[in-house]
Amino acid sequence: DHAIGAVTRLYVRYMRSTTVKDYLAKNTKDDVVFFHELFTCYKYLKKRKNTDAKVVLVLHNDGDTYKMLRTEYKTLEKSTFYKYLERIEQYVFENIDRLGYSADYPCRNFMELHPEFDKNKLFYVYNGLSLDPLKKNLANNNSDVYEICCVGTVMERKGQRFIVEALHKM
């Protein structure tokens, strides 16, 4: 069953992690604790003793927390485990101080999916580059050789094939 695969993957990858336990054992009095992943943030929120620390979570998705899991595990959404995931998501969103994304689109998509969320807690840091320096370099370049750098996980959803297709058209 696909839901069992999702449970196993999430448990092994996140829930079994000792990161939060190790951090809390240090008994630090940090002002801000910053997370890039929902499940570690959840574990921290459930176990923390210092409730004065601000909690910031940045999610690296399109604003739909479990979209990739639902895509990979087709029966997940109909499972009891999915209800548990939704409770985790709700708990985290109710207990964090700020929620961020790496672009405007995920923020807008998130707000459509979660209109009850306080939009004043939401932010994004644009993750793109200005094309002006690139245009200047291309205009001043007399060479037929160009260097291209693509940073990201090599997988279909990241769209690296579009770079290859564009280069082919050039």
Side-chain angles (χ1 to χ4, degrees), residues 127-169:
N127 204 14
L129 300 172
S130 169
L131 295 180
D132 291 336
L134 178 62
K135 289 176 187 174
K136 284 180 188 175
N137 285 342
L138 289 175
N140 296 333
N141 188 352
N142 295 327
S143 172
D144 290 334
V145 177
Y146 296 98
E147 292 181 28
I148 296 175
C149 176
C150 174
V151 179
T153 305
V154 178
M155 59 191 314
E156 178 60 29
R157 73 178 180 80
K158 293 291 185 174
Q160 285 92 350
R161 70 181 169 90
F162 297 117
I163 295 170
V164 176
E165 290 171 11
L167 290 171
H168 179 72
K169 288 180 181 180

Side-chain angles (χ1 to χ4, degrees), residues 44-168:
Y44 170 79
L45 289 168
K46 293 296 269 187
K47 295 177 184 271
R48 72 180 174 163
K49 292 180 178 60
N50 175 13
T51 57
D52 293 332
K54 301 294 183 197
V55 177
V56 178
L57 171 63
V58 174
L59 293 177
H60 300 268
N61 58 44
D62 72 350
D64 183 345
T65 306
Y66 299 125
K67 182 178 180 178
M68 286 188 287
L69 278 175
R70 289 192 316 270
T71 301
E72 188 172 346
Y73 302 102
K74 304 290 186 209
T75 61
L76 177 64
E77 196 167 7
K78 296 178 178 128
S79 71
T80 305
F81 181 65
Y82 193 75
K83 299 292 182 208
Y84 173 67
L85 292 177
E86 289 180 317
R87 286 194 304 273
I88 288 174
E89 178 188 54
Q90 181 180 357
Y91 183 85
V92 169
F93 293 158
E94 288 173 354
N95 288 283
I96 57 176
D97 296 285
R98 298 293 305 269
L99 174 62
Y101 289 94
S102 60
D104 181 42
Y105 170 76
C107 285
R108 288 184 281 118
N109 194 36
F110 174 83
M111 286 308 298
E112 283 182 29
L113 296 169
H114 301 277
E116 73 286 352
F117 190 81
D118 180 357
K119 68 179 179 182
N120 294 317
K121 290 180 165 186
L122 196 60
F123 71 94
Y124 74 92
V125 177
Y126 185 65
N127 204 14
L129 300 172
S130 169
L131 295 180
D132 291 336
L134 178 62
K135 289 176 187 174
K136 284 180 188 175
N137 285 342
L138 289 175
N140 296 333
N141 188 352
N142 295 327
S143 172
D144 290 334
V145 177
Y146 296 98
E147 292 181 28
I148 296 175
C149 176
C150 174
V151 179
T153 305
V154 178
M155 59 191 314
E156 178 60 29
R157 73 178 180 80
K158 293 291 185 174
Q160 285 92 350
R161 70 181 169 90
F162 297 117
I163 295 170
V164 176
E165 290 171 11
L167 290 171
H168 179 72

Side-chain angles (χ1 to χ4, degrees), residues 3-31:
I4 293 171
V7 172
T8 304
R9 175 180 165 194
L10 290 172
Y11 177 76
V12 169
R13 190 168 183 187
Y14 301 114
M15 301 300 203
R16 199 180 74 170
S17 169
T18 62
T19 304
V20 170
K21 181 180 173 185
D22 294 345
Y23 173 75
L24 291 173
K26 293 179 182 178
N27 208 19
T28 63
K29 301 290 183 208
D30 296 320
D31 296 321

